[in-house]
Amino acid sequence: MRVTMIGSGYVGLVSGACFADFGHEVTCVDLDQAKIDGLKRGVMPIFEPGLDDLVARNVEAGRLTFTTELAPAVKDAAVVFIAVGTPSRRGDGHADLTYVYEAARQIGQAVNGYTVIVDKSTVPVGTGDEVDRILREANPSADVSVASNPEFLREGSAIGDFKRPDRIVVGVEDDRAKDVMEELYRPLYLNVAPLVFTGRRTAELIKYAANAFLATKITFINEIADLCEKVGANVQEVARGIGLDNRIGSKFLHAGPGFGGSCFPKDTRALVRTGRDYGAPIKIVEMVEEVNEARKLAMAERIIAASGGDVSGKRIAVLGLAFKPNTDDMREAPSLAIVPALEKAGATVAAFDPEAMEQAKPLLPNVVYAEDAYSAIKDADALVILTEWDQFRALDLARVKSTLKSPVVVDLRNVYRPDDMAQRGFTYSGIGAAG
Ligand SMILES: NC(=O)c1ccc[n+]([C@@H]2O[C@H](COP(=O)([O-])OP(=O)(O)OC[C@H]3O[C@@H](n4cnc5c(N)ncnc54)[C@H](O)[C@@H]3O)[C@@H](O)[C@H]2O)c1
């Protein structure tokens, strides 16, 4: 099948490369000339494990091409995906649909013959209806169906998630579109990934409900962690104790510095706005947003307290800046709240992240960027583990101790064991265990 992806960011590029790998003929389109030029030369615009090989293999096989020219790429396609960004709108937290609607208008002008236009971007309920209207306004004789196919891949394990999904959700309003989508996903369906067909509005809501639920789970365990610290309990054991219950499940029960990333913050905000707009406020998610924002700043206070109550003139080493390991994505990373708060309190922050430093530099311009973990730690008054990259799980602790000015470790990801760290002479604090 001929498939066109509008938007070649995380979602568009990964999905496009995976569809090509299934044997479809895929064109990835992006407005960003530099991104497309880079892709043509085999340079990935993002860090995602395995992506460069996957792209190279499919380009070589002639199934994957890149272009900035939307119209010719849309003209011959059977399926056109919209995979552009839907960031938070400044000021009110609604999803900004400018890119989606602009893409729809351009697709409408270019479309030729029966085409299924599929929204893969995360969009509020009813966006499919508006996309349909825009397409028909741009081209009254267009023979199109509009479907919704939200994406659930996770950055850092995006290819595996796309190829072996827990489920594929497809919202359609007619059987013609359903048949095309079934054919498109047939290679995956054979791998027994459940293909869930539903209405377009329901599919749109499923995506927000899923993200809001996961964000709630994280926030729940974070608050339980705070309680653990007060009452002398251990949050990791609580998480295991509840997670083994199949009704609860063990995933997303790791207490930490609060969620960030390209999806959870903006998607919880957008769901809250939709709930209010329709007179059905989702109060639990409103609270999740509030608690999560406050938590990031509380983490800075925790670091200051661990450093003796005052960080003015002190050097704080931060390991990990990306919002999670195996990505260079800095969007709404907790580091963007924690590091400036430390700097405001007078600290100099020295940081190292294996992949995200180039992305971080314009966002955190006052940070001293180090070449590796040990250079960041050198002469620091405290070490903070902020993102649990694998390489921070196996630090040479004797070297860490002798490199630090004072042996203070604040482990916001519970990578190390408190008793072990105490035995090695560190003043250690993790999350959710009595100190
Ligand atoms: N990143 C994730 O892990 C993830 C996971 C699931 C869903 N999503 C959703 O997928 C959507 C895309 O997210 P992303 O992280 O891939 O965004 P991104 O910012 O990485 O990529 C979007 C791309 O679209 C391009 N673009 C915008 N308008 C265009 C147009 N008219 N024509 C061609 N290209 C255009 C931009 O230049 C950019 O390269 C969002 O709605 C997001 O919420 C993201």
Side-chain angles (χ1 to χ4, degrees), residues 6-12 29-32 35 70 83-86 99 103 106 120-122 151 153 155 207 262-263 266 331:
I6 310 298
S8 307
Y10 259 102
V11 167
V29 182
D30 206 287
L31 294 172
D32 186 337
K35 198 176 264 191
L70 182 141
V84 300
T86 50
Y99 303 109
Q106 293 177 19
K120 204 170 232 334
S121 298
T122 302
E151 183 49 57
L153 63 76
E155 293 176 13
K207 174 64 191 176
S262 62
C263 293
K266 80 172 175 63
R331 287 178 278 185

Side-chain angles (χ1 to χ4, degrees), residues 58 64 108 116 188 214 217 368 372 401 414 419 424 428 430 433:
N58 285 285
L64 181 60
V116 183
L188 267 180
L214 294 172
K217 221 174 158 186
V368 178
D372 58 31
K401 186 147 177 279
N414 286 337
D419 47 353
R424 290 170 186 270
Y428 174 89

Side-chain angles (χ1 to χ4, degrees), residues 238-278:
V238 172
R240 183 169 151 75
I242 63 175
L244 285 169
D245 183 331
N246 283 333
R247 293 169 303 175
I248 296 174
S250 59
K251 305 260 177 74
F252 284 74
L253 285 181
H254 299 288
F259 61 77
S262 62
C263 293
F264 285 2
K266 80 172 175 63
D267 292 349
T268 48
R269 276 196 294 271
L271 182 63
V272 162
R273 302 313 309 184
T274 303
R276 287 197 193 158
D277 284 354
Y278 284 86

Side-chain angles (χ1 to χ4, degrees), residues 88 91-94 212 215-216 219-220 223 258-259 263-274 276 282-296 332:
S88 276
D92 65 7
H94 273 290
T216 302
T219 306
F220 176 82
E223 289 204 301
F259 61 77
C263 293
F264 285 2
K266 80 172 175 63
D267 292 349
T268 48
R269 276 196 294 271
L271 182 63
V272 162
R273 302 313 309 184
T274 303
R276 287 197 193 158
I282 308 184
K283 292 200 180 138
I284 190 168
V285 182
E286 296 190 13
M287 197 47 75
V288 162
E289 242 193 294
E290 188 182 318
V291 169
N292 193 60
E293 283 312 303
R295 184 166 186 84
K296 295 183 199 170
E332 303 210 35

